[in-house]
Amino acid sequence: RRMALITGGRAESTEKGFDTGGKQWTSHCATGNKSAWLLGRTDDTQRNDEEQVLKFVEHCANAMGWKVNTIKGKLSAIANRHIVFGHPNPIPRMERVKRMMQTLRREQGAPEKKLPAGRDVCTMAKAIFAEEGHSEADKAVFDAGVNNGYSFMFCGGEFLYRDGQGFDGAKVLRGK
């Protein structure tokens, strides 16, 4: 029961992610015959712990091809595992790991952001459709479809989730 109380404050998906990350960390450590527990008390053992985490981050980035946020999640899993089992979080004291993550983030570049389905995207879609040489009737139908979809996104989106029941057509159409 104690473990359930310690880990129960997080979403189930977060705990599953931490569990997976912890297993990956443990597996990585086992391949090098190292302990998964980073309990360094002296400068030398803390340096060895940091070296072990640096190798893990490097493996995640280079061999696995994971993005920085994924690796960050794995580091959080390591920290979580230590905390849950009553050990201090070893990650914050590892300055070289922080620097490696900063470098990886810089090398990764800016994230590719998706355009929000807003007014600008609708206007752009209408302009592209118009440039393709469609008839005026087709343009009117296309404009109506885009406008209807855009307004539904705001008017109907809040009705799609209903107490875990999913989509309720009557609620979307009538607001009830």
Side-chain angles (χ1 to χ4, degrees), residues 147-161 167-168 170-176:
N147 290 338
N148 188 30
Y150 179 69
S151 63
F152 174 79
M153 179 178 64
F154 290 111
C155 298
E158 64 197 59
F159 300 117
L160 294 180
Y161 180 82
F167 180 79
D168 181 355
K171 187 172 185 181
V172 171
L173 297 175
R174 297 186 194 97
K176 297 180 180 183

Side-chain angles (χ1 to χ4, degrees), residues 77-93:
I78 296 169
N80 182 65
R81 181 166 269 201
H82 280 73
I83 292 166
V84 165
F85 286 98
H87 300 296
N89 180 354
I91 303 300
R93 69 174 185 249

Side-chain angles (χ1 to χ4, degrees), residues 1 5 14 20 34 38-39 52 58 67 73 77 93 98-99 109 117 123 136 150-151 156 162 165 173 176:
R1 170 102 169 113
L5 290 171
T14 301
T20 301
K34 303 276 188 179
L38 304 171
L39 305 175
Q52 192 173 336
E58 186 176 21
K67 303 277 187 200
R93 69 174 185 249
K98 289 179 192 173
R99 289 183 182 208
T123 303
E136 290 302 316
Y150 179 69
S151 63
R162 186 178 64 102
Q165 304 282 319
L173 297 175
K176 297 180 180 183

Side-chain angles (χ1 to χ4, degrees), residues 29-86:
C29 293
T31 60
N33 293 323
K34 303 276 188 179
S35 170
W37 298 110
L38 304 171
L39 305 175
R41 303 285 185 240
T42 66
D43 287 346
D44 284 342
T45 55
Q46 285 181 2
R47 196 173 301 107
N48 290 339
D49 288 349
E50 186 177 41
E51 212 39 64
Q52 192 173 336
V53 174
L54 287 167
K55 287 178 184 174
F56 179 67
V57 171
E58 186 176 21
H59 172 77
C60 291
N62 297 335
M64 303 304 290
W66 290 340
K67 303 277 187 200
V68 172
N69 283 339
T70 302
I71 299 169
K72 191 175 170 188
K74 305 304 175 188
L75 294 175
S76 294
I78 296 169
N80 182 65
R81 181 166 269 201
H82 280 73
I83 292 166
V84 165
F85 286 98

